[in-house]
Amino acid sequence: MPGQTSPFGDRLRALRRAAGLTMEQLAESSGVSARAISNMERGHSRAPQARTLAALADGLGLDGDARAGLTAAAKEARFPSAAGRPRLCEPPRGVTDFVGRQAELEIVRHAAKHAVEGDELPPVLVVHGQPGLGKTALAVRAANELRDDFPDGCLYVDLRGVDATPLPAGEALLRLLRALGVRPDQVADSDDERSAHLRGMLRDRRCLLILDNAGSEAQVRPLLPAGGWCLVVVTSRRVLGGLEGVLRIALPPLAPEESAGLLRSIAVQAADPQTAPQVNRVTDLCGHLPLALRIAGTRLASRPQWSVGQLVDRLADAGRRLAALSAGDTGVATAFALSYAQLPAPTAQLFRRLAHVPAADFAAPLAAALIEAALPDAQDRLEDLVEVGLLQTEGVDRYRFHDLIRLYADERLHAEEPPDTRAQTTQWMNTWLLDTVVVAGRWYEPGYGRLPDGWAGLAPLATLEEADAWLRAEVDNWLPALRTEAAEGRHQRVADVAAATRWYSESTLRWRGWYEVRRMARAAANALPDRRQQAFHASLYAWTAVYLMGLYEEAAEVAIEAYRLAQSIGDLREQARALSSAGAAWLNTRDYDDALWAHRTGCELADGAGDHDLYVDHVVGVGYALQYLGRYDEAVGEFQRTLAELDRRPVAARPALTARAGAVYGVASSYDRAGRHEESLHAVERALPVLIENRDDDVVAFALVLRGKARAALGRPAEARADLTRALEMLADSLPSRLGDEAGAILPTLDGTGPALADGDLARALEVLADSLPDRVANEARATRAVLDGPDPA
């Protein structure tokens, strides 16, 4: 202890005298001050750091055994035996069934090694995350594992950061100083002096400090050592972003297998392998939160008559789940409540109202709409919620709740806000979402493609790309909003949303949600007195049934209904639009003559209405009807006429690109069906850049099939195999198609895994595949529709 001689001091004095040096002479030769040398020799300081020790050895001219002996004496003085460990501030008892966290423990181990070996500032780790993640358990586990590396003591202080009155820094300093052997009467009154005293005590020691449950940076800063061989582990629900030079460890929920392992270690019922599905269900319902899993496991273990399935039943009710996850004085909701109680009133309001959000994640503009605040204010409140561990960041600019915290937010919402306020907030949110959908969708509308004049909304929609990004990111929020509007009879709003997203849907054809949107819009339009809207939405629904769902017979029936409605009001444009969907449907049901009539009639109607966009669309349809009738040269002529009309007519950019893509692909597919492989190959090469620009991945894949077929027929199997393989990869998530089946049938003939087929055999095989296609498409479409409608009445 200070004031006494030490083995190191005695050895240093003996070596200095043996060298015939005074303290002043050793100071001159080593660069270490005479006062520092005097303090070491008299035991007033325990031992020098590594570079000071090396300077002293050099100044004494030591090498070999003499140098090693001085180093050993310094090490012993610096790190005395474990008998000197403090008895105060001992860490709490750890858990015997600790699971997981190996990656985080490895970070702590690495930091401990750095602390013991390095001469830099002692490392500080901040373990942060939402309530119930086991931050304290991790810190205590690390302390027990690393205890022998820190012989001067493992010091633990609970800073009570989420209590109504957190532990003052001065009190924490007092506890640590007393644990290090300082008598109460030697502790200074001011926090600054206590902090300096602690730093001085730790400078020559090898300690592990666990500062648990920190509430703020101000609590932590005075407790951090400035030197010595120490490691500091801070746990907090907050990120403690104001602390500099620290390593932060964001603690996530447990992995599913770790969660199951924890449950099995607590409750014997969960250890039965046959209960694995129920165990996995419990871990999901607990959100893989260690606190929730421990409570659930304890409830199960204390009721040996329960099965895991019975526990599942109790947790499955979302309204009762938080109540079920409590035991004695411990509960998940209780843990959340401590953080909630610290929130300022405006932030607490946002926390509650975020329970209104239908989707798992959301962005700041939606939060701003919920509380009718400016975007910067909402962003600040969201970051406050992240800081206290009640919200998680998702990617760059989105947020999400842990499932159990979401339940707690909903609990607070119903407890603190009356029903009429909740209903009004829901309506604000839905109105904002759907108004934003309309604005975003209009970016894709021919002849519009911009923001409305004077629009200043919360969401970033300044470009088409931003509009697309918002529509995709918020789809799981705006689609439920549309369902609510439909259920509550706001028919015009539902119809407006479907109309505004009409052109956008063509760039996102693989999203099956369009079928539900158009179905709701058709029902909404039928409840309105406007027959023009009824015709428009019936036609739009038919289009969706054709191009997205493959419900061709239904599509044709609804399209003709729309055609008759438009006839009754003399609307040429709506008649032409309805016949476009009817023609497409009939092409797929092999009613080619009907399809040819629909598209030729549509050409006349669109021309009469002055709708150039629809006109070129119908010319493309005429080409495909002729192609499927086997009139290939006439089909190519119609496709070429389309390209000429596009140069002649003022067609809007997006419809023009769609028609051009349909025409250039039609030329290639006509040559393919005619067996004119060389011409088909050249046509595909010219078509692909247009198809890629049009962003319809299915048609790009079909073009690759055509190119693969042509290359195979022209004796280029390796290139054909690459095309067909890539095409099948692209079509993996699409509806079954004739060309996809053709690619699958041809590939084995190229790679040696199946019998080689002669041209006639291949043609017959593909014909059989083509004949089976409509039933397979219809079956898949019916299965998809059943999810929305219930069982098929057929």
Side-chain angles (χ1 to χ4, degrees), residues 354-361 366 406 429-430 433 476-478 480-481:
L354 287 172
H356 284 290
V357 177
D361 63 294
L366 179 52
R406 182 188 181 90
M429 177 182 71
N430 290 344
L433 283 166
D476 290 334
N477 286 316
W478 65 255

Side-chain angles (χ1 to χ4, degrees), residues 153-406:
C154 293
L155 309 178
Y156 171 90
V157 179
D158 182 358
L159 298 176
R160 302 201 307 266
V162 293
D163 287 7
T165 305
L167 184 72
E171 176 64 23
L173 287 164
L174 173 61
R175 295 184 185 185
L176 289 170
L177 288 169
R178 291 192 62 193
L180 290 169
V182 180
R183 296 194 312 272
D185 62 332
Q186 294 177 320
V187 177
D189 292 332
S190 76
D191 290 354
D192 287 345
E193 289 178 302
R194 291 180 180 183
S195 181
H197 194 175
L198 178 64
R199 290 194 298 272
M201 294 290 291
L202 294 176
R203 182 171 294 278
D204 297 319
R205 284 172 169 78
R206 190 163 157 178
C207 293
L208 171 60
L209 271 66
I210 299 176
L211 307 178
D212 194 24
N213 199 14
S216 68
E217 295 87 343
Q219 271 189 307
V220 174
R221 282 195 188 96
L223 312 180
L224 299 181
W229 296 265
C230 298
L231 172 66
V232 183
V233 178
V234 183
T235 74
S236 179
R237 298 184 182 188
R238 298 176 177 271
V239 178
L240 300 181
L243 291 180
E244 298 178 350
V246 304
L247 176 63
R248 291 179 174 81
I249 303 176
L251 210 59
L254 292 174
E257 61 275 11
E258 294 170 345
S259 298
L262 177 56
L263 199 64
R264 293 188 181 104
S265 69
I266 299 172
V268 66
Q269 300 98 310
D272 185 347
Q274 294 185 349
T275 67
Q278 292 87 1
V279 168
N280 292 338
R281 179 61 177 151
V282 170
T283 63
D284 287 342
L285 291 170
C286 290
H288 304 283
L289 199 68
L291 175 61
L293 290 163
R294 288 192 178 280
I295 294 172
T298 300
R299 287 176 67 86
L300 191 60
S302 63
R303 295 162 177 79
Q305 72 277 13
W306 277 17
S307 67
V308 182
Q310 287 173 302
L311 179 61
V312 171
D313 293 340
R314 282 163 172 77
L315 295 176
D317 182 354
R320 294 286 303 159
R321 192 175 308 157
L322 291 179
L325 291 173
S326 62
D329 61 351
T330 303
V332 171
T334 302
F336 298 156
L338 291 171
S339 290
Y340 181 70
Q342 293 186 317
L343 299 177
T347 306
Q349 180 195 55
L350 174 59
F351 173 77
R352 296 190 301 269
R353 291 190 175 183
L354 287 172
H356 284 290
V357 177
D361 63 294
F362 53 88
L366 179 52
L370 281 169
I371 55 176
E372 295 186 292
L375 186 58
D377 291 341
Q379 290 170 328
D380 289 343
R381 295 183 198 179
L382 288 169
E383 289 303 315
D384 287 343
L385 291 172
V386 172
E387 176 69 18
V388 299
L390 289 177
L391 203 60
Q392 304 168 38
T393 55
E394 182 84 355
V396 176
D397 59 356
R398 299 186 70 78
Y399 303 85
R400 70 182 300 133
F401 277 131
H402 183 276
D403 291 346
L404 295 179
I405 296 181
R406 182 188 181 90

Side-chain angles (χ1 to χ4, degrees), residues 97-113:
D97 47 20
F98 187 89
V99 300
R101 307 302 192 201
Q102 291 308 306
E104 291 82 2
L105 282 170
E106 187 57 35
I107 294 173
V108 180
R109 294 184 194 112
H110 181 76
K113 182 179 179 182

Side-chain angles (χ1 to χ4, degrees), residues 23 74 98 216 230 277 324 385 427 513 553 577 586 673 705 713 765 788:
M23 287 186 188
F98 187 89
S216 68
C230 298
L385 291 172
Q427 188 56 49
E553 293 180 359
R577 183 175 289 116
W586 281 327
R673 285 173 175 265
V705 175
L788 302 172

